[in-house]
Amino acid sequence: MGLDKADVGAVVHYSLPRSPEQYVQEIGRAGRNGQPAFCHLFVDRPCYLRLRSLAHSDGVSESTVAAFLSLVFGDYQLPAAPEESPEAAPEDSSAAAAAAVQIPVFRTIPKEKTAQSLDIRPEVMETILVFCESTPASLPSDPAVPEPSGPSLVADSTPNPLVPTPASQLEPSGPSPIADSAQNASVPLPSDPSPITDSTQTLSVPVHPSPSPSLPNPLTSVTQPPPPPPPPPPPPPSPGLPAAAAYLRMMPEAPASCLLSFHKTPVEILSRKVPLVKAVLATNPTPRNGRYTVQLAPMANHMRMPLPMLLACLRDLQRCGEIVCEFQEPSLCVQLLSRPRSLSSLAAAICQRLAAVEKSTVAKLDAMYSVVLAAAQVPAESPAADTMAPPLASDWHKSLSGRQTALLHGCISAYFDSRDGTVPSLLAAPATVPTASQFLRSDIKVFLRCQQANPDAPPVNARAIARILHGLTSPAFPTCTWSKHHFWGLYADIDFHTVRRIALEEVIASRPHKLRLRPMLK
């Protein structure tokens, strides 16, 4: 929300902010003109539990990520290299072989179809693809997928979140000790330890200090300083993710297929002039209802041309009136650069990263709720208010609003000062969520029996059951269909991971066990 007005006098939070960072950013819109401003916040436990459940809505299981990676890096057959004439020179054959290796390989992933089949959001699919694009390829690529012919698509300065950065490559966090033009630097310091303040004061810090008389002046001393020590060797790469080329490169979204109809020039005559039409007739010799179905990514790989160029050719033919093209299935488009040797290892790394983001989101929400709850529970009349207030405190500081503001400032300051992003329990009690229920396991058993008895029911896993019991929509289990279900949102107040763990145990227990036949002894 890009609100930049100086006369905002009040900010009202109708729901709980998701993190202290978001709370500080939102209240910063008030009081920019230096006048007193107030921030009001409504908080209740159902809102907190709902936001906590929504923090788990984008999570995926490792098996789902592995299935999605199989769609992206599945078995892919490159088009055959052009036949060479027997009179070709050895140099020409080597050049042709090098050109065959540099053929681009494109893949389209239909968003709606994949989301329905794997029960995964399109936004999560994009996150997984971005991870594959920014993560260096760890193992040699499969020879079936060509390596990129140009420079590396991943810049050397891009940090890898799973590989530690060498100490020699870390930039200093403080200011540079040498300045060319300025003699003094103005550093604003808060006049109050509170994290939110309007008044600042300036401290002049000399940037060029005079050299100490007991030490030699480096500008006049003849002795050369010793050479800097060599940088330490970089740490060994973590297993599975050393520095190398990326797995893929994301392309703009493109349709997965299209329906072609020829109207102006006969298709046989047009195929002699346009190679694209000739390739369409070669791959789809028989039209259906006068229209040809073309899979765009396989056609681009067959013609050895980039997919955007293929789409441009189709639009040019349509603009000339030669064809009528109807694009179908909006899809995510990628260009494969290398194939991971172990999809399970890559899926495990992606799930570990997604789980860390989910855990951080829940921890920030818990910290925000504990801070706000501690401020809301400040008693209206406290006999110790006069003794706890500062000596020069006004009547407002001694009032309920003043004491609530002081507690909020203290808790948020402690949150930002802590290394793990938590609030000390002395200031605010940590937020707790029930982790047990009397009928949870039995209800999950009944739910699984109902699903097994219905042949048209979609398959469910532990995370899908936990989402249903928390009332979280997903592509395979939308709210419009499942909101009237008895189990929808039945255990929204129980910890999500507890529900998921019990659901996993019951899913494993409900699978039919294979009978082991023992040979009969005579």
Side-chain angles (χ1 to χ4, degrees):
M1 203 173 82
L3 182 63
D4 188 11
K5 297 182 64 177
D7 56 348
V8 176
V11 173
V12 179
H13 294 88
Y14 185 74
S15 60
L16 181 69
R18 296 176 183 266
S19 64
E21 292 87 352
Q22 182 178 357
Y23 174 75
V24 172
Q25 192 267 341
E26 290 174 354
I27 65 176
R29 297 186 176 98
R32 295 184 179 181
N33 55 355
Q35 299 298 324
F38 296 90
C39 299
H40 308 275
L41 190 147
F42 295 91
V43 58
D44 56 348
R45 186 167 180 81
C47 177
Y48 160 68
L49 294 176
R50 185 58 183 171
L51 292 177
R52 205 175 194 275
S53 296
L54 291 174
H56 303 281
S57 59
D58 291 338
V60 290
S61 60
E62 187 174 340
S63 59
T64 303
V65 176
F68 178 74
L69 293 178
S70 299
L71 293 177
V72 178
F73 299 102
D75 295 336
Y76 205 93
Q77 299 295 331
L78 288 177
E83 297 182 359
E84 301 178 1
S85 59
E87 294 81 6
E91 293 79 3
D92 299 335
S93 61
S94 61
V101 174
Q102 299 175 4
I103 300 173
V105 178
F106 294 92
R107 175 63 63 89
T108 54
I109 302 98
K111 298 171 64 174
E112 184 176 357
K113 183 188 300 184
T114 307
Q116 287 287 341
S117 59
L118 299 181
D119 194 18
I120 181 174
R121 296 173 181 269
E123 297 83 3
V124 181
M125 291 190 287
E126 295 182 9
T127 302
I128 296 175
L129 294 179
V130 169
F131 185 91
C132 296
E133 183 182 27
S134 59
T135 301
S138 58
L139 299 175
S141 60
D142 194 345
V145 179
E147 294 288 346
S149 57
S152 175
L153 298 176
V154 179
D156 296 336
S157 60
T158 304
N160 184 5
L162 299 180
V163 178
T165 305
S168 60
Q169 299 179 5
L170 295 177
E171 297 181 357
S173 58
S176 176
I178 299 177
D180 295 334
S181 58
Q183 295 291 332
N184 294 325
S186 298
V187 181
L189 296 178
S191 59
D192 187 83
S194 173
I196 304 175
T197 178
D198 295 330
S199 60
T200 57
Q201 53 183 340
T202 304
L203 176 65
S204 299
V205 180
V207 177
H208 294 285
S210 58
S212 175
S214 60
L215 298 177
N217 192 343
L219 300 179
T220 59
S221 178
V222 181
T223 305
Q224 297 293 334
S238 60
L241 295 174
Y247 290 114
L248 54 85
R249 184 179 69 172
M250 292 192 65
M251 309 291 293
E253 292 189 10
S257 60
C258 67
L259 296 177
L260 294 181
S261 302
F262 298 90
H263 295 283
K264 189 174 182 180
T265 306
V267 61
E268 292 79 6
I269 300 177
L270 188 62
S271 62
R272 302 171 187 173
K273 302 178 182 179
V274 183
L276 176 58
V277 179
K278 182 178 180 180
V280 170
L281 296 181
T283 55
N284 301 278
T286 305
R288 177 177 296 181
N289 297 330
R291 296 191 296 181
Y292 296 84
T293 303
V294 180
Q295 301 295 330
L296 297 179
M299 179 61 65
N301 298 327
H302 174 76
M303 298 187 65
R304 303 175 185 178
M305 62 186 305
L307 182 57
M309 186 181 298
L310 176 65
L311 294 174
C313 294
L314 291 175
R315 293 189 177 96
D316 290 341
L317 290 175
Q318 188 173 11
R319 193 179 301 111
C320 296
E322 295 289 349
I323 64 172
V324 174
C325 185
E326 180 182 349
F327 296 105
Q328 297 178 339
E329 295 181 301
S331 307
L332 301 174
C333 181
V334 296
Q335 179 183 357
L336 301 182
L337 303 179
S338 60
R339 178 175 299 158
R341 184 171 298 176
S342 176
L343 292 180
S344 59
S345 300
L346 182 59
I350 293 176
C351 286
Q352 183 180 3
R353 181 64 182 274
L354 295 178
V357 174
E358 180 180 297
K359 182 179 179 181
S360 175
T361 302
V362 174
K364 290 176 181 293
L365 180 63
D366 291 344
M368 187 65 216
Y369 180 72
S370 63
V371 168
V372 174
L373 189 63
Q377 293 177 350
V378 172
E381 295 180 1
S382 176
D386 298 335
T387 59
M388 296 176 59
L392 301 179
S394 60
D395 294 338
W396 179 84
H397 288 86
K398 300 178 182 179
S399 63
L400 176 61
S401 299
R403 288 183 283 119
Q404 288 178 341
T405 302
L407 180 60
L408 277 175
H409 286 186
C411 292
I412 292 179
S413 298
Y415 169 82
F416 285 108
D417 293 340
S418 63
R419 297 182 179 180
D420 53 354
T422 58
V423 180
S425 58
L426 297 177
L427 299 177
T432 58
V433 177
T435 58
S437 179
Q438 182 179 1
F439 304 102
L440 176 59
R441 187 176 295 272
S442 59
D443 285 338
I444 292 177
K445 290 181 179 180
V446 174
F447 177 81
L448 289 175
R449 290 178 190 149
C450 296
Q451 290 296 109
Q452 294 174 359
N454 186 8
D456 299 332
V460 294
N461 54 17
R463 184 173 286 273
I465 295 175
R467 280 200 293 255
I468 292 174
L469 295 180
H470 269 250
L472 300 177
T473 183
S474 64
F477 304 94
T479 306
C480 58
T481 305
W482 287 80
S483 59
K484 299 180 181 180
H485 202 279
H486 169 69
F487 296 98
W488 184 262
L490 187 60
Y491 291 96
D493 56 338
I494 305 299
D495 181 61
F496 183 87
H497 293 291
T498 301
V499 179
R500 178 170 172 263
R501 176 181 55 82
I502 298 177
L504 179 60
E505 295 174 358
E506 295 302 325
V507 167
I508 296 176
S510 64
R511 293 177 180 175
H513 298 280
K514 296 182 179 180
L515 298 179
R516 298 181 180 179
L517 301 180
R518 296 182 180 179
M520 297 180 61
L521 299 178
K522 295 182 179 180

